[in-house]
Amino acid sequence: MYTQLEQRGMLEPPVNVSTLRAMKQNGEPIACMTAYDASFAALVDAAGTDLVLVGDSLGMVIQGHDTTVPVTVDDIIYHSRTVARGIRRAFLVADMPFMSFTKPAIALDNSIRLMQEGGAMMVKLEGGDDQVEIVEHLARHDIPVCAHLGLRPQSVHKIGGFKVQGREPDKATEMCASARRLQNAGADIVLLECVPNEVGKMIRAELEVPVIGIGAGPDVDGQILVLYDILDITQGRTPKFVKNFQAGRDSPLEALEAYVREVKNREYPAPEHCFS
Ligand code: KIV
């Protein structure tokens, strides 16, 4: 199966869903970050990143919008295709943009496009219980899915800002139950954004599939950050969970390697990057 990869000089198979599950079982933290083009994707991969996300954050960091809402399926496909050319080992996930999964059939059509045209190996979609039917439909068609809970940036206009989610005990319990339902529907990964440490810990313990956090504390199975935040390219105010890994380092590759190392050693996130 991996003849072409052997020909390209790869010593071991690339990361896949089984690798990620095994990492959770073995307690090895999963290091993830975003990428949007082939050159950065090659650096991200060379740094030892396990999972690369072509996030709809590209609407903000590449296109200059204030939110991720304007991003289209064609935008994600364009960037995912370029990232796919840059990576060798990492697992490639592409975001389903705003309103691209309003019905099971629409979600399936757009997922197929992200995989066939964008080279993605998994799709990520924001939402809780409302998305169970969609996840079930995609899973039935063997589309790998990452469910995104906690802060859902596509809903920013409804939520009224980029705010920490799940602080109230009933909301935390609800989120945990949604995570289990999404897993049972077929989600292969759950991503948690901006929740208190305790919520991250509870959901990780509840699920068999890996839980990847961004601002979800240290007690999850892996961490993800936006590439431009890691490299201190993002201007202005950044969220509390962001750490500048470029400071004191000579090259972007050194900064990315430092991020992967700190995730693997559980040095990142430190208490100052967490919510209570
Ligand atoms: O779009 C994105 O980059 C994301 C991350 C915040 C995880 O969803």
Side-chain angles (χ1 to χ4, degrees):
M1 181 182 178
Y2 291 119
T3 312
Q4 299 93 328
L5 295 163
E6 279 166 19
Q7 283 165 357
R8 280 197 259 149
M10 291 197 58
L11 299 175
E12 53 181 39
V15 177
N16 57 48
V17 273
S18 310
T19 325
L20 297 169
R21 253 195 201 234
M23 287 170 83
K24 174 173 179 126
Q25 278 155 10
N26 299 335
E28 181 189 342
I30 303 168
C32 318
M33 56 183 116
T34 65
Y36 314 99
D37 67 55
S39 299
F40 270 125
L43 288 181
V44 163
D45 194 79
T49 308
D50 301 305
L51 182 154
V52 176
L53 169 70
V54 179
D56 60 358
S57 51
L58 69 85
M60 299 168 82
V61 300
I62 303 281
Q63 298 174 334
H65 296 295
D66 288 337
T67 73
T68 59
V69 171
V71 176
T72 65
V73 172
D74 284 340
D75 291 335
I76 298 281
I77 288 173
Y78 172 82
H79 288 279
S80 184
R81 194 189 288 154
T82 65
V83 168
R85 289 190 203 113
I87 59 175
R88 288 156 54 94
R89 174 185 170 273
F91 189 68
L92 178 57
V93 183
D95 242 339
M96 302 278 286
F98 181 67
M99 294 298 148
S100 65
F101 49 98
T102 46
K103 290 197 169 90
I106 294 173
L108 182 60
D109 285 350
N110 284 325
S111 304
I112 292 169
R113 289 196 65 206
L114 293 184
M115 294 181 78
Q116 287 193 319
E117 299 172 44
M121 298 157 183
M122 174 179 278
V123 298
K124 174 167 87 59
L125 49 89
E126 295 182 11
D129 283 355
D130 292 349
Q131 309 311 338
V132 166
E133 191 192 351
I134 305 273
V135 171
E136 232 159 33
H137 191 64
L138 298 183
R140 203 176 309 126
H141 289 84
D142 284 345
I143 307 274
V145 179
C146 171
H148 182 151
L149 286 169
L151 173 61
R152 293 174 285 118
Q154 288 171 14
S155 305
V156 63
H157 297 308
K158 184 80 175 167
I159 302 168
F162 297 99
K163 298 176 183 165
V164 179
Q165 303 293 307
R167 274 202 164 122
E168 308 79 6
D170 57 326
K171 297 276 182 229
T173 310
E174 221 173 85
M175 202 187 296
C176 194
S178 295
R180 172 149 284 282
R181 279 194 276 274
L182 288 161
Q183 173 188 271
N184 293 349
D188 303 278
I189 296 182
V190 169
L191 187 145
L192 275 184
E193 179 163 355
C194 273
V195 297
N197 288 7
E198 279 312 306
V199 177
K201 188 175 179 177
M202 176 169 72
I203 294 182
R204 179 214 199 175
E206 175 74 14
L207 302 187
E208 285 82 53
V209 299
V211 176
I212 309 295
I214 175 161
D219 300 315
V220 286
D221 301 304
Q223 301 292 335
I224 186 163
L225 278 182
V226 168
L227 175 68
Y228 288 18
D229 290 343
I230 295 174
L231 296 176
D232 197 32
I233 293 170
T234 311
Q235 297 298 298
R237 199 166 153 259
T238 50
K240 186 180 184 192
F241 53 77
V242 167
K243 175 170 176 183
N244 170 8
F245 285 88
Q246 189 61 73
R249 298 196 170 89
D250 292 334
S251 71
L253 180 58
E254 279 179 38
L256 301 179
E257 285 171 341
Y259 165 74
V260 171
R261 197 168 49 245
E262 289 201 16
V263 170
K264 296 278 177 190
N265 294 342
R266 299 191 187 283
E267 281 169 58
Y268 174 82
E272 66 266 27
H273 307 119
C274 296
F275 301 107
S276 52

